[in-house]
Amino acid sequence: MKLVSPHKKLGEMLLNLGFLTKEQLETLLEQQRNTGEKLGELLINSKLVSEEILFAVLAKQFNIQYVSLSEYGEIPKEVLDLVPEKLVKTYNMIPIEFDHKTKTITIAMYDPLDLSAIDNLSLMTKFNVKTVVAGKKEIYDAIDKYYTKKDTLKEVEKQVEEKFESGDAEVVEEKEEDDIADGDSAPVVKAVNYIIEQAILMRTSDILIEPQDKVLRVRYRIDGEYHDQKPFPKKLLNSIVARIKIMSKLDITERRKPQDGRIKLNFAGKAVNLRVSVLPSVYGEKVCIRVIDSSALCLPLSELGFDEVQFKWFEKAINQPHGMILVTGPTGSGKSTTLYSALNMLNNPDINIMTVEDPVEVVMYGLNQVNVNEKADLTFASALRAFLRQDPDVIMVGEIRDKETIEIAINAALTGHLVLSTLHTNDAASTITRLLNMDIEPFLISSTLNLVVAQKLVRRICKNCREAYKITLEQLIPIGVTPQMVNNANEITIYRGKGCQKCNNGYKGRVGVHEVLEVDETIKELILNRASHFEIKEVARQNGMYTLRESAIRKMLMGITTIEEVIKNTIADEVQQ
């Protein structure tokens, strides 16, 4: 947004309409003065106002029509051809209508007051220009849909192979921030861009590029499941890996040691962060790329999948002035999302929040974030020691890996700080046993630990193709369903996805299932007596804790996930007699 002078008016409009409080507006304006960011972008990034609401208010403010491009329908090719692609991409606009009588072209923009863009378009096309407001994402999606030329996998393969066989295959030097929509890139670059672009479009969390005996296997992890893509010829391995290494700022001459790096690039106007790991294998170097969606890591707490009681316990714990909260689960179970969402809720000018991570996955305004650098002896433990001299209120430790780190974290919790961290255990009660096994004194654990959250992710049923079917209680009892859960019904309705063009075999997206253990007086007493995790779990259940299996069953009965996901992703609890 280049709306400089009317910013105050925009804020006042949102305030008067009830979308912002006075305190929120003052915080945003202060943030804007400190960072120079545009108010519209701050509003959207903070998730205080949705993009649709913001642009609708802007349209009203300047008496300009607001349109939804997703509902607009197909834009005629003859209209699109009136505006050159370069102009469209330079000024982030999309032509949607043309009036032959008045020679007026209607342009959708997310900044309709960009006068230089309007003047240049009028000068170049010799048409009158009418502007309407549309959402930023919708503009980028439309540009990508109508203007960006997509090479098919077959075309990319052919171009790369021709260059490779002629000896002209080249590795292109990487700019600090790349744009993967460059249609004039070298063939090897196109091959890598194709792999990454398709992964982002398919909502992939991880990309695997794996050399096999005769082919280069490519797999995408979508909603927790790996899916094979069309393989590349094996002879392209070295060129593709070299390109990825240069993008990641890694050593292209080193092929015997594992290497880790990061890539920052643009896709459809959106910053995308990729975490890269290269590992030597029998058939050559294997590449794993983690696709990090910054927006998905800062979800509102209400969207994480907690039920009402779990949400109340978690919200209560993160609002405590001191103590420790641990989030546990396997790799890829959403632990970072839970922590970032908690920090996002706590983030305000009155609180000093410091994090140490390996690596920092999302840079958040207002947080003091530190990257682990073991070469410089900047470890979790050494960073924590330094934090305690920086007067923090909240400390987030990316992961507790050793006794030294947990000891410093506990010391911080004892001295008036709120500490959040992650640990790898299978359930909440096992976390306490793990701490005891690390030779942490029971009285220290009981004095500092406020809450443990164990979590996993299950796939959501696609809303577009969801269908209901009946199943008997007798069939559900073996997985842990009790008569009380279904109001003593003998026949229960559950759901599954049929599969459609909008999903992957009936699933679209994932949601968390949680086991939230509140460390109350009864649990503290068990910790002091070094009780087993079975005893702790049993007492916690009596106090109202749902196990992972029970949490997943509740989501199955609500029609959010399937019985297959429940069985596959949660450990079966012993059925109570």
Side-chain angles (χ1 to χ4, degrees):
M1 306 283 165
K2 294 185 180 177
L3 311 176
V4 180
S5 59
H7 272 165
K8 185 176 180 182
K9 187 177 178 183
L10 170 63
E12 288 177 352
M13 288 183 73
L14 291 167
L15 184 65
N16 293 336
L17 290 168
F19 292 115
L20 288 178
T21 65
K22 188 176 180 181
E23 293 74 19
Q24 288 171 331
L25 178 58
E26 289 173 354
T27 300
L28 285 168
L29 292 174
E30 178 65 27
Q31 189 174 335
Q32 184 197 16
R33 285 190 287 270
N34 292 336
T35 65
E37 289 184 80
K38 300 163 188 173
L39 183 59
E41 292 175 356
L42 288 173
L43 283 162
I44 293 172
N45 292 339
S46 66
K47 300 188 183 298
L48 292 172
V49 177
S50 69
E51 189 176 89
E52 290 74 17
I53 290 172
L54 175 65
F55 288 114
V57 172
L58 279 172
K60 182 179 179 182
Q61 181 185 8
F62 297 105
N63 197 27
I64 299 172
Q65 183 186 358
Y66 172 76
V67 299
S68 173
L69 294 180
S70 60
E71 299 173 3
Y72 193 81
E74 199 72 15
I75 301 173
K77 186 176 185 300
E78 56 267 25
V79 174
L80 295 166
D81 289 342
L82 294 174
V83 182
E85 179 178 348
K86 186 174 181 181
L87 206 63
V88 165
K89 291 184 175 180
T90 300
Y91 293 113
N92 298 313
M93 59 173 65
I94 192 85
I96 58 174
E97 285 181 357
F98 182 69
D99 188 331
H100 290 275
K101 290 183 180 179
T102 61
K103 298 293 182 184
T104 300
I105 188 166
T106 302
I107 300 293
M109 305 174 68
Y110 65 84
D111 183 1
L113 298 185
D114 188 347
L115 299 181
S116 64
I118 297 168
D119 290 342
N120 285 339
L121 177 62
S122 180
L123 189 66
M124 185 172 289
T125 62
K126 309 298 183 188
F127 298 139
N128 298 314
V129 178
K130 175 186 174 183
T131 58
V132 296
V133 179
K136 187 175 183 179
K137 184 177 184 302
E138 289 193 328
I139 295 285
Y140 284 130
D141 287 346
I143 292 172
D144 190 54
K145 176 181 177 181
Y146 292 112
Y147 284 94
T148 304
K149 183 182 181 298
K150 306 293 183 186
D151 288 320
T152 65
L153 178 55
K154 189 174 288 186
E155 289 170 340
V156 170
E157 275 187 9
K158 183 179 178 182
Q159 292 170 8
V160 177
E161 286 191 62
E162 285 174 354
K163 286 283 184 180
F164 195 91
E165 288 168 355
S166 66
D168 295 332
E170 57 180 316
V171 174
V172 178
E173 288 297 327
E174 179 66 18
K175 294 177 284 186
E176 186 170 335
E177 189 170 303
D178 204 11
D179 189 330
I180 68 174
D182 184 0
D184 300 324
S185 301
V188 169
V189 176
K190 283 188 175 183
V192 175
N193 287 355
Y194 181 88
I195 292 170
I196 295 173
E197 179 181 307
Q198 291 303 305
I200 297 171
L201 289 171
M202 294 170 71
R203 299 177 296 104
T204 301
S205 61
D206 296 271
I207 306 167
L208 295 184
I209 301 172
E210 305 167 304
Q212 304 297 308
D213 187 13
K214 296 180 180 178
V215 297
L216 188 57
R217 186 187 191 192
V218 178
R219 289 192 288 165
Y220 293 160
R221 192 172 191 234
I222 304 168
D223 295 335
E225 300 283 319
Y226 278 110
H227 299 268
D228 267 307
Q229 307 302 305
K230 192 174 185 298
F232 279 82
K234 174 71 177 292
K235 59 187 176 182
L236 304 182
L237 170 64
N238 290 339
S239 294
I240 287 175
V241 173
R243 167 62 180 164
I244 292 171
K245 283 184 175 180
I246 285 178
M247 293 174 74
S248 315
K249 297 179 174 57
L250 301 178
D251 184 355
I252 64 171
T253 64
E254 179 57 73
R255 297 183 180 179
R256 298 169 299 173
K257 296 179 181 177
Q259 296 188 68
D260 296 312
R262 303 194 77 178
I263 301 171
K264 183 179 180 182
L265 46 79
N266 283 322
F267 180 75
K270 175 180 167 184
V272 178
N273 293 311
L274 308 175
R275 199 163 67 205
V276 178
S277 173
V278 182
L279 178 71
S281 69
V282 174
Y283 292 116
E285 290 179 288
K286 173 189 173 183
V287 180
C288 177
I289 302 174
R290 168 67 58 88
V291 182
I292 300 171
D293 184 349
S294 302
S295 60
L297 282 171
C298 296
L299 294 172
L301 287 180
S302 58
E303 295 182 19
L304 295 181
F306 290 111
D307 67 23
E308 189 176 345
V309 175
Q310 292 173 334
F311 182 85
K312 183 178 74 173
W313 286 349
F314 188 73
E315 191 175 36
K316 174 186 172 185
I318 64 174
N319 284 300
Q320 294 295 312
H322 55 80
M324 188 161 59
I325 299 169
L326 295 178
V327 182
T328 79
T331 302
S333 60
K335 299 187 297 294
S336 295
T337 301
T338 300
L339 289 180
Y340 275 117
S341 297
L343 293 179
N344 196 38
M345 181 177 175
L346 293 171
N347 191 10
N348 68 66
D350 299 330
I351 296 180
N352 180 11
I353 302 176
M354 305 192 72
T355 79
V356 54
E357 305 165 62
D358 185 19
V360 173
E361 294 187 354
V362 179
V363 177
M364 293 176 63
Y365 176 83
L367 271 59
N368 305 284
Q369 296 169 275
V370 175
N371 260 318
V372 165
N373 184 351
E374 293 189 358
K375 291 180 181 177
D377 198 30
L378 180 57
T379 62
F380 284 115
S382 62
L384 273 174
R385 287 194 201 93
F387 282 6
L388 296 178
R389 297 189 290 273
Q390 294 277 330
D391 191 30
D393 299 299
V394 179
I395 296 172
M396 194 268 271
V397 185
E399 183 182 347
I400 289 174
R401 296 177 179 172
D402 51 46
K403 183 181 178 183
E404 184 183 16
T405 304
I406 186 61
E407 285 178 339
I408 301 170
I410 285 176
N411 183 54
L414 280 171
T415 53
H417 306 88
L418 181 64
V419 180
L420 294 83
S421 190
T422 70
L423 203 62
H424 289 282
T425 59
N426 289 326
D427 62 10
S430 297
T431 303
I432 295 169
T433 308
R434 174 78 182 277
L435 295 177
L436 290 170
N437 290 339
M438 294 172 77
D439 293 330
I440 305 300
E441 290 295 334
F443 76 90
L444 290 175
I445 300 172
S446 64
S447 301
T448 56
L449 192 60
N450 293 343
L451 192 82
V452 181
V453 179
Q455 67 180 62
K456 286 191 176 181
L457 296 175
V458 296
R459 290 184 290 174
R460 288 180 181 268
I461 301 171
C462 172
K463 294 179 181 178
N464 188 57
C465 63
R466 191 179 77 154
E467 65 174 3
Y469 67 101
K470 301 285 188 181
I471 191 168
T472 66
L473 175 60
E474 188 178 351
Q475 291 173 288
L476 292 176
I477 283 176
I479 69 166
V481 176
T482 63
Q484 292 78 15
M485 291 179 181
V486 294
N487 296 321
N488 295 309
N490 290 322
E491 194 174 59
I492 299 99
T493 300
I494 59 176
Y495 297 83
R496 63 191 168 202
K498 293 186 291 186
C500 65
Q501 291 183 339
K502 295 184 177 181
C503 67
N504 290 298
N505 301 319
Y507 296 100
K508 186 174 182 180
R510 290 189 290 174
V511 65
V513 292
H514 303 90
E515 187 175 287
V516 181
L517 193 162
E518 187 180 37
V519 183
D520 58 14
E521 294 304 319
T522 57
I523 300 298
K524 288 180 179 180
E525 188 67 31
L526 291 172
I527 294 171
L528 289 171
N529 293 328
R530 293 183 177 268
S532 70
H533 84 275
F534 296 108
E535 295 174 272
I536 294 171
K537 187 170 189 175
E538 184 55 39
V539 171
R541 290 184 70 185
Q542 292 171 10
N543 292 346
M545 182 189 82
Y546 299 128
T547 65
L548 285 168
R549 170 58 65 92
E550 289 165 342
S551 180
I553 286 172
R554 291 169 68 88
K555 286 186 169 54
M556 177 193 75
L557 296 174
M558 292 167 63
I560 296 172
T561 193
T562 63
I563 187 171
E564 290 81 9
E565 284 293 291
V566 172
I567 295 169
K568 176 182 172 184
N569 290 288
T570 60
I571 299 171
D573 298 301
E574 184 180 352
V575 178
Q576 300 300 305
Q577 301 298 325

